[in-house]
């Protein structure tokens, strides 16, 4: 929503906003573009006097502002619908989808097109470090958007990407996630297939033929041109096999508009990465990586990447049980296996986790300061600290940075 607000401002629209809470890096971006934080569910004056309202998918019936909008017949949209009507019209749209790697792959594709002079507009679910923003509106005919399978809004339960009408759809991978809205993988596939069924035959689908779930999805029916991508063998500044796969996907997508593979690789040799996707954070005591990983596949991929980059180093990992799927225990059977590449593990949750047992092999912490103190006490034995959460990690980073 922060990026969407930025796009609206770039189109000359006055944009206030409100939410229950604001977190970096998006709260920082909102401050930069001049949107004041209004931490409330109560209808604020700007909402009451607005011409229309975009309602984010985290808002639901019972929210006081939502009820005010409905009761007073204020014009409202979902975010994806507004983007479709106001941003994507008459654009060649690249939509980057999949369970894992969407933000990184989207950012790689932005880097490639920008390097090759296409000046694309974009909306990404993280901070693109080249420009330190998550959005850009331009006069270019090309727009790159991270295409999420999560539902659109409380009044539109289709996946967000249904609205994007992609010319090139990239499907990176497909696994079960978002157990708060999907009961199984087949329901996720159904949403993806709704999108595929709506795509004209002159569009492209870029995918990994070795991903059995994606292949079975396309076997349900596909009328677009199918393009298989392959992992790039090596790019010096890109860490991890999973990110080399992301690079291969971005390169294949860029080739659908005629960009040469060699030019795309050259662009990625100067790729700065994405905030909170294995982002290196300065610290005098440790090497710190801040990572958004919150699914077992992502956890394993990130830890493996760091272990391969720093063989022999001692790694401490902080992992927060925070996503709806994690809190529900959807992935509990995988947790004991994905932390094999860490030497010290601190699992944390501020929620009551009924399914978590000591038989999970690791203590469950409920106090952040206890974890921070444990890491600091172990400074001599720890070389690398990896912070894994889809929430705010700034408190831990600041505490570790302030330790003498």
């Amino acid at each position: 929503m922060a990026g969407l607000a930025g796009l609206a401002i770039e189109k000359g629209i006055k944009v206030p906003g409100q939410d229950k809470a604001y977190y970096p890096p998006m709260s920082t971006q909102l401050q930069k573009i001049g949107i004041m934080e209004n931490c409330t569910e109560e209808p604020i004056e700007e909402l009451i006097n607005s011409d229309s309202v975009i309602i984010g998918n985290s808002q639901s019936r019972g929210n006081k502002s939502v009820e005010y909008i409905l009761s007073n017949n204020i014009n409202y949209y979902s975010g994806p619908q507004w983007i479709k009507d106001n941003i994507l019209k008459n654009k060649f749209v690249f939509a980057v989808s999949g369970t894992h790697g969407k933000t990184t792959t989207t950012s790689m594709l932005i880097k490639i097109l920008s390097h090759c002079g296409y000046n694309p507009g974009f909306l990404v679910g993280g901070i693109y470090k080249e420009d330190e923003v998550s959005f850009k509106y331009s006069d270019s005919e090309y727009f790159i958007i991270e295409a999420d399978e999560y539902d659109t809004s409380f009044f539109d339960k289709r996946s967000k990407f249904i609205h994007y009408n992609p010319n090139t759809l990239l499907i990176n991978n497909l696994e079960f996630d978002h157990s708060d809205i999907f009961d199984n993988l087949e329901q996720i596939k159904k949403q993806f297939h709704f999108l595929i069924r709506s795509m004209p035959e002159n569009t492209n689908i870029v995918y990994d033929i070795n991903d059995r779930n994606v292949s079975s999805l396309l076997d349900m029916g596909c009328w677009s041109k199918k393009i298989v991508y392959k992992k790039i063998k090596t790019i010096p500044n890109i860490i991890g096999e999973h990110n080399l796969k992301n690079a291969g996907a971005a390169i294949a997508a860029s080739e659908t508009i005629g960009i040469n593979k060699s030019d795309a690789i050259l662009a990625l040799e100067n790729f700065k990465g994405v905030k909170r996707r294995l982002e290196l954070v300065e610290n005098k005591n440790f090497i710190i990586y801040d990572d958004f990983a919150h699914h077992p596949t992502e956890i394993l991929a990130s830890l493996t990447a760091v272990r391969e980059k720093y063989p022999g180093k001692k790694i401490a990992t902080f992992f927060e049980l925070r996503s709806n799927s994690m809190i529900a225990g959807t992935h509990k059977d995988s947790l004991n296996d994905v932390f094999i590449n860490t030497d010290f593990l601190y699992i944390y949750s501020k929620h009551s986790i009924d399914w978590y047992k000591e038989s999970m092999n690791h203590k469950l912490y409920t106090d952040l300061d206890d974890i921070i103190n444990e890491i600091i006490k172990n400074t001599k034995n720890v070389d690398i600290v990896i912070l894994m959460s889809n929430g705010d990690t700034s408190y831990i980073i600041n505490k570790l940075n302030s330790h003498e």
Side-chain angles (χ1 to χ4, degrees), residues 293-310:
H294 56 279
H295 183 285
T297 300
E298 297 164 351
I299 296 165
L300 181 60
S302 290
L303 288 174
T304 301
V306 175
R307 175 64 75 196
E308 289 175 350
K309 183 173 176 62
Y310 301 98

Side-chain angles (χ1 to χ4, degrees), residues 340-359:
I340 56 174
N341 284 310
T342 192
D343 300 286
F344 307 96
L345 177 61
Y346 306 94
I347 296 181
Y348 164 77
S349 182
K350 64 181 179 181
H351 302 278
S352 176
I353 308 293
D354 295 334
W355 56 262
Y356 197 97
K357 311 286 186 186
E358 288 304 325
S359 60

